[in-house]
Amino acid sequence: MKLSKQDSDLFFDLWFSLLDYTNKKYGIDTSTKIINRKTGVNLTSAFRISDKIWEDTSVIDDYLAENELPEDEQKILKSWHYRIKGTFVIERHLKKGAVIIDNEDNVYIVKGLTQSIRDLTCDFPTPVYIKGTLLPFKNVIITDGLIMPYNVIIGGNMRAELKELYMEAKRNDWIIEKMNIDLLDENRHLLKFFKSDISNLSEKTIDNHMKIVQWYLIYYLANQDLRMQDGLNCLDDFFNREVSGSPNEIKKICTSIKKFYKSMAEHNKISEDDYKSLCSEIKENFPRWAEECNL
């Protein structure tokens, strides 16, 4: 339910160094002169500095550019671009970690750092709402150590719904226990190509396209260890399993996915025939997806 001592030591070495760098770069807490394993950092400052990091993870790239680290440590830090920040529910605790559900109904197994998440939140019986950030770390998922439980009572109906979400994920092997770092890194480069190709659009439109494509590429495909190319054959499953909304919302999702794969074809990541086949599938199936996803 928690990392080994060796892995937890590595995490905190990287994390405190990144907190220290970010604090000095942006002057977030000028009263804190240095942050490391010996000095630590008070919780208030840690939350403020971490908010800055997760708000714009480009600071990780800045840190890596100015510090020479072993390749395996660079890989861990780069993977944190794919943090998942928000409000979650701890549905239950298992021997291998906490069962945590996000607001998209994705179910994760999350390990503690130096203590289990069960021990960290022992004053709050499950299910319990928390605010936090999930991070990939080697072959598991952890938090950044900054978990804030909410003292909110979850009613019987909601408890039953959360239990069913976990049981359904368990039955269908949908529980996410790791994030494929190599795949995440590959996807990050593809997203850079895409964002550059749509840079002539408004900031709001770019943001909307990026959110939809990240959802498909990272939270749907990568969670199943599938690459971008595999996604050419997964649209029907994606809409059947992951999507709900009005016909107009479905149209927006289709538009974003088409734009993304057009960009991939232009960068020779897929063939022009593959792109045309994708467009034909969307055109053929859109009426059904719009109807079924709106139920």
Side-chain angles (χ1 to χ4, degrees), residues 232-251:
L232 291 164
N233 303 309
C234 295
L235 281 177
D236 199 49
D237 180 72
F238 172 68
F239 280 101
N240 289 335
R241 200 170 87 180
E242 300 286 336
V243 179
S244 63
S246 68
N248 187 51
E249 289 170 326
I250 305 306
K251 183 177 181 180

Side-chain angles (χ1 to χ4, degrees), residues 261-272:
Y261 278 102
K262 181 180 180 181
S263 170
M264 296 301 97
E266 290 173 349
H267 289 281
N268 297 315
K269 302 297 182 181
I270 62 171
S271 70
E272 188 65 28

Side-chain angles (χ1 to χ4, degrees), residues 76-274:
I76 290 171
L77 283 166
K78 288 178 181 177
S79 76
W80 291 354
H81 283 290
Y82 301 100
R83 82 287 184 215
I84 305 170
K85 186 177 189 301
T87 301
F88 306 89
V89 175
I90 302 176
E91 196 276 331
R92 67 181 64 198
H93 297 283
L94 304 175
K95 285 185 178 180
K96 56 184 176 180
V99 175
I100 292 183
I101 302 175
D102 68 15
N103 58 11
E104 299 290 340
D105 295 341
N106 294 306
V107 181
Y108 304 87
I109 297 292
V110 182
K111 291 187 178 293
L113 301 175
T114 57
Q115 62 181 144
S116 69
I117 294 176
R118 181 200 296 270
D119 291 340
L120 192 63
T121 60
C122 60
D123 292 334
F124 300 86
T126 56
V128 57
Y129 284 108
I130 61 166
K131 178 182 178 182
T133 303
L134 306 186
L135 300 174
F137 185 84
K138 295 189 174 180
N139 291 319
V140 298
I141 299 173
I142 60 173
T143 73
D144 63 3
L146 301 171
I147 295 176
M148 182 184 296
Y150 291 104
N151 192 17
V152 176
I153 297 174
I154 297 179
N157 290 340
M158 179 61 75
R159 294 169 72 95
E161 289 178 15
L162 291 167
K163 179 180 179 180
E164 179 52 30
L165 282 173
Y166 165 67
M167 296 305 295
E168 182 183 21
K170 183 179 180 181
R171 286 192 300 270
N172 293 284
D173 198 27
W174 292 345
I175 297 176
I176 303 164
E177 299 189 36
K178 65 177 182 177
M179 300 182 193
N180 187 320
I181 295 175
D182 291 330
L183 191 53
L184 291 174
D185 197 44
E186 176 184 315
N187 287 340
R188 184 163 172 254
H189 288 294
L190 298 179
L191 288 169
K192 283 184 177 179
F193 284 137
F194 179 52
K195 189 171 185 179
S196 175
D197 288 346
I198 59 173
S199 60
N200 60 316
L201 303 177
S202 71
E203 186 175 339
K204 182 179 179 180
T205 302
I206 292 172
D207 187 55
N208 288 336
H209 284 314
M210 293 298 293
K211 284 180 179 177
I212 290 170
V213 172
Q214 285 174 358
W215 173 22
Y216 187 61
L217 194 63
I218 297 171
Y219 300 119
Y220 172 69
L221 291 176
N223 279 340
Q224 303 176 77
D225 286 336
L226 297 175
R227 301 177 68 228
M228 173 273 294
Q229 292 86 345
D230 299 315
L232 291 164
N233 303 309
C234 295
L235 281 177
D236 199 49
D237 180 72
F238 172 68
F239 280 101
N240 289 335
R241 200 170 87 180
E242 300 286 336
V243 179
S244 63
S246 68
N248 187 51
E249 289 170 326
I250 305 306
K251 183 177 181 180
K252 289 179 180 178
I253 293 170
C254 290
T255 298
S256 294
I257 291 175
K258 283 172 61 178
K259 281 185 176 294
F260 172 69
Y261 278 102
K262 181 180 180 181
S263 170
M264 296 301 97
E266 290 173 349
H267 289 281
N268 297 315
K269 302 297 182 181
I270 62 171
S271 70
E272 188 65 28
D273 286 343
D274 283 336

